[in-house]
Amino acid sequence: MTQRVDLATVLDRLAIDDLISGYAAAVDDGDWAAFRALFTEDARIDYRGAGGIAAPAAEAAAWVARAMTLFPVRQHLIVNRRLRLQDLGGYPGDSAEVRADYLNPMGRASGDTHVSGGRYAFGAVRTDAGWRLSSLVIEEKWRQGPGPRAEGGQGGGTDSGLGAEPREAAGGG
């Protein structure tokens, strides 16, 4: 690879990393316009691994916005990011995959705390507007907090209440 290709690869990796951080900040801040702007028009989000829905990004954004109203305090920590850029014979392509672990403590107005952890699988594509998310799948591995286990949820512990309609609580987001 040339220095120019190496620099382009580093810049792509930084832009994609910023996209993933933007996802966490948008959910935690309740900035749903910023959340929707992270995704391509045809993106799909799958929250079923945490008891939620699978839907086009716009529909999933509306759902997670409703679910998060149950938690005025949220802080996603997205760590151990493993990014794989499309390789076009030594040159970076226009798509990428990111697998990253998350820890998501959230607080209710009552003072109760809900914490979940698991893994995200993000798909990203280069667009005219820069890198955008083309897909998101959540795989919740564990959770702690009040409430019964949601149908279709994964992991151990008690459920956050993620379901097609927000119930008592919400999970990985």
Side-chain angles (χ1 to χ4, degrees):
M1 274 199 236
T2 67
Q3 285 183 334
R4 183 170 290 174
V5 171
D6 287 343
L7 178 59
T9 300
V10 168
L11 293 174
D12 284 341
R13 293 179 71 85
L14 289 171
I16 294 165
D17 190 70
D18 192 50
L19 195 61
I20 303 305
S21 294
Y23 170 82
V27 172
D28 292 345
D29 295 344
D31 187 345
W32 307 115
F35 180 95
R36 286 186 297 279
L38 297 168
F39 291 89
T40 61
E41 287 291 320
D42 60 347
R44 298 229 6 119
I45 300 176
D46 187 346
Y47 287 126
R48 291 177 297 180
I53 66 169
E59 183 181 335
W63 176 83
V64 79
R66 288 189 314 272
M68 292 296 112
T69 62
L70 300 168
F71 296 96
V73 178
R74 306 181 283 271
Q75 184 178 25
H76 281 73
L77 305 172
I78 302 179
V79 300
N80 300 333
R81 300 172 192 205
R82 292 163 314 282
L83 186 145
R84 187 173 64 214
L85 282 168
Q86 178 186 30
D87 184 352
L88 300 176
Y91 295 91
D94 293 331
S95 65
E97 296 174 352
V98 179
R99 292 182 50 87
D101 296 331
Y102 72 85
L103 177 64
N104 182 16
M106 299 186 295
R108 297 179 187 219
S110 68
D112 289 339
T113 301
H114 170 86
V115 182
S116 65
R119 181 162 293 150
Y120 287 121
F122 295 95
V125 294
R126 187 190 318 269
T127 70
D128 291 340
W131 285 93
R132 295 293 180 265
L133 296 173
S134 58
S135 65
L136 168 59
V137 177
I138 185 174
E139 177 191 354
E140 185 176 74
K141 296 188 179 267
W142 62 272
R143 62 178 84 180
Q144 293 178 325
R149 185 99 197 117
E151 187 175 320
Q154 303 293 315
T158 59
D159 183 44
S160 62
L162 276 177
E165 289 297 321
R167 294 189 322 219
E168 277 292 315

